[in-house]
Amino acid sequence: MANCAIVGINWGDEGKGRMVDLLTEDYDVVVRFQGGGNAGHTVINEKGKFALHLLPSGIFRDGVVNILGNGVALDPKNLWTEMQDVMAKGIEITPDNLKISDRASLLLPWHRDMDELEEMRLADKKYGSTKQGIAPFYSDKYQKKTILAGELFYPEELKSHLADLMEWKNLTLTKVYGAKPYTMAMLEEWLETYCEKIKPYICDIGAFLKEAHASGKNILFEAQLGSLRDLDYGIYPYTTSSNTTAAYAPIGSGLPSAKIDDVIGVVKAYSTCVGEGPFVCEMFGDEAEELRKNGFEYGAKTGRPRRVGPIDIVATRYGVEVQAATAIALTKLDVLSYMDKIPVCTHYLLNGEQTDRFPFPSALKNAKPVIEYFDGWKCDISGARNWDDLPKAAQKYVTFIEKQIGCPIKYVSVGPERDSIVIR
Ligand code: GDP
């Protein structure tokens, strides 16, 4: 069978975790290839309800090997805490079903401090960071100022490397931000408390994936966030600090030669966006509050209320293009069941002209949404399992979106549970 990437088409929180959890049945290996513990996937299955941040969503399936690739921001503290939470709910995590790339860079304790200090400095100009240290981590990775997970196996060299990095980072912490410096004792405690715990899971992922690929294993690549948060293609600077696109999956996973056959783009039936930045289709007031409540749109990591709006065809079409999606999973259609009329942002108005093209980030603040309304279906659709179970108005809504974004909608999700799905 083929390799597949499951990616977000919009601003994140589309329900990727739910789709990975469903589709892992057909895969042997699930790889996270970018991002860190700054967002969350919510997964509900027969084992319970879980909020995952770093662990791949295949962790619940017996026989699936889950991988954290070299492209992730590997935060030992967050990861170990999350592993303990998941294990406490009866899920087995061993070096057989979780493997960490020796080439993944470690998110160091000061990365979280740097994130917090910089957001404080920015005050009302802040980016809306989740303060998990992701941006400082990736900046340092590209400056070659982090530690590779595999260095934990070379303790002498590791200590002197950490001491050098600490000396450098303390300059910024103390002289730029007036914060307290780190000491080696603090880092040694961090190594002992967290890094030692994850060490048994660290291995040569390149070799593992090469072997898995050669022996015909099916590999699923799991992305975090969505197209519009991609560092290069998103709404910069309100993006994340990594590439959320399927094209990055082979690089960030440890199998740069991998060919990705299927790209499943996850699109939410309406729009949500966490944090700051332009969000053309945003709804406000009671209308927004009602949608937020019905969709339970509060951040998995932060609990922050998400900004909401109707589905944005312009942004979604762009997201599909950027991901080179071959099929779409449309999620949370059931959430719209309360609406009499369903708004859809079909175009943007920019400088007095109607456009279908997603504008350059700086132009987005001047774009206005053009809204069309569709008939609602006003009934519970969460029990639908076949296309014909969906009311005509819901079918019309789905086929309209499909035509507009130019990619087949293969899955329609009508609830958070594993089997609440219509497969076309
Ligand atoms: P991810 O980061 O893309 O995995 O998305 P999140 O986990 O942040 O957000 C998706 C949320 O919607 C989770 O709470 C899911 O349980 C829930 N969810 C996913 N699909 C559906 C669906 O079709 N209907 C409903 N009502 N909830 C869903």
Side-chain angles (χ1 to χ4, degrees):
M1 220 175 89
N3 291 333
C4 173
I6 297 192
V7 295
I9 295 293
N10 306 119
W11 296 263
D13 307 315
E14 299 93 346
K16 295 174 292 296
R18 176 252 185 289
M19 289 309 299
V20 176
D21 180 61
L22 173 76
L23 297 173
T24 40
E25 195 173 11
D26 299 326
Y27 291 85
D28 307 294
V29 181
V30 178
V31 196
R32 275 281 309 267
F33 59 90
Q34 47 77 228
N38 50 329
H41 295 311
T42 309
V43 175
I44 302 175
N45 56 34
E46 79 283 357
K47 294 182 176 163
K49 179 174 178 180
F50 303 88
L52 298 182
H53 302 289
L54 251 178
L55 286 172
S57 307
I59 201 73
F60 307 108
R61 294 270 191 188
D62 297 335
V64 170
V65 179
N66 294 273
I67 290 180
L68 293 172
N70 52 280
V72 302
L74 186 68
D75 181 340
K77 181 178 174 190
N78 261 358
L79 177 61
W80 180 239
T81 310
E82 183 177 336
M83 285 169 70
Q84 283 179 302
D85 285 352
V86 171
M87 288 192 281
K89 289 188 177 168
I91 308 298
E92 214 181 347
I93 303 182
T94 70
D96 287 331
N97 73 344
L98 177 68
K99 296 183 190 293
I100 302 172
S101 171
D102 56 358
R103 286 185 167 271
S105 295
L106 298 185
L107 188 142
L108 300 167
W110 47 70
H111 288 137
R112 220 173 277 118
D113 302 333
M114 293 286 296
D115 216 347
E116 179 108 38
L117 290 163
E118 179 56 12
E119 285 283 283
M120 264 160 56
R121 190 192 69 81
L122 285 166
D124 59 349
K125 291 186 175 167
K126 67 183 191 303
Y127 288 175
S129 164
T130 53
K131 299 183 189 150
Q132 296 296 309
I134 303 299
F137 162 84
Y138 278 109
S139 320
D140 282 1
K141 173 175 170 172
Y142 285 92
Q143 287 198 77
K144 299 161 287 174
K145 301 272 195 196
T146 61
I147 301 279
L148 296 181
E151 287 182 63
L152 297 176
F153 295 105
Y154 301 85
E156 286 313 309
E157 291 91 333
L158 170 67
K159 295 241 164 97
S160 95
H161 191 183
L162 261 180
D164 288 347
L165 293 180
M166 183 185 77
E167 189 186 320
W168 171 74
K169 190 56 77 178
N170 277 345
L171 291 174
T172 316
L173 284 169
T174 58
K175 294 194 190 311
V176 176
Y177 292 107
K180 279 205 188 123
Y182 270 83
T183 62
M184 272 316 279
M186 290 158 85
L187 295 179
E188 274 162 21
E189 195 195 330
W190 169 77
L191 284 173
E192 195 52 42
T193 318
Y194 304 111
C195 299
E196 281 303 312
K197 303 293 193 310
I198 64 165
K199 205 165 146 185
Y201 301 85
I202 298 170
C203 62
D204 181 348
I205 290 299
F208 176 85
L209 285 177
K210 208 167 110 190
E211 164 63 26
H213 182 63
S215 58
K217 297 265 197 293
N218 301 318
I219 305 173
L220 187 65
F221 299 91
E222 176 181 14
Q224 181 216 30
L225 295 166
S227 310
L228 302 166
R229 299 290 188 195
D230 182 89
L231 180 61
D232 290 272
Y233 296 97
I235 51 169
Y236 190 88
Y238 299 100
T239 57
T240 193
S241 300
S242 63
N243 291 102
T244 59
T245 38
Y248 186 73
I251 306 272
S253 62
L255 192 65
S257 58
K259 182 173 163 287
I260 302 197
D261 308 278
D262 300 314
V263 177
I264 299 180
V266 187
V267 173
K268 204 183 273 191
Y270 52 94
S271 301
T272 62
C273 168
V274 177
E276 315 295 319
F279 185 38
V280 176
C281 65
E282 184 162 12
M283 279 175 174
F284 299 93
D286 293 346
E287 198 188 8
E289 193 46 38
E290 208 176 353
L291 179 53
R292 186 176 300 118
K293 270 211 315 258
N294 275 282
F296 201 69
E297 295 298 348
Y298 303 90
K301 185 81 192 177
T302 57
R304 287 191 284 191
R306 292 176 180 150
R307 297 158 75 191
V308 297
I311 192 165
D312 180 334
I313 297 292
V314 181
T316 303
R317 190 188 297 116
Y318 174 74
V320 167
E321 256 170 51
V322 163
Q323 296 286 14
T326 57
I328 296 296
L330 186 72
T331 60
K332 301 192 97 163
L333 189 66
D334 54 303
V335 170
L336 302 183
S337 300
Y338 76 92
M339 289 184 174
D340 295 322
K341 291 273 174 204
I342 302 182
V344 172
C345 170
T346 51
H347 312 275
Y348 289 173
L349 265 186
L350 189 60
N351 306 325
E353 284 186 23
Q354 192 161 296
T355 180
D356 289 330
R357 246 186 96 215
F358 193 68
F360 184 76
S362 317
L364 275 169
K365 66 174 187 308
N366 297 322
K368 300 271 172 287
V370 176
I371 305 288
E372 268 182 41
Y373 288 88
F374 282 72
D375 288 337
W377 42 91
K378 299 285 283 179
C379 63
D380 180 8
I381 58 167
S382 60
R385 296 294 175 268
N386 298 299
W387 180 245
D388 291 337
D389 299 340
L390 288 173
K392 284 280 171 289
Q395 291 182 354
K396 201 172 156 201
Y397 183 72
V398 175
T399 45
F400 175 78
I401 294 167
E402 180 174 69
K403 189 156 175 249
Q404 294 298 312
I405 64 177
C407 189
I409 297 179
K410 186 167 173 204
Y411 305 90
V412 180
S413 174
V414 291
E417 300 81 15
R418 194 180 269 172
D419 66 344
S420 303
I421 195 97
V422 170
I423 303 180
R424 293 168 80 201

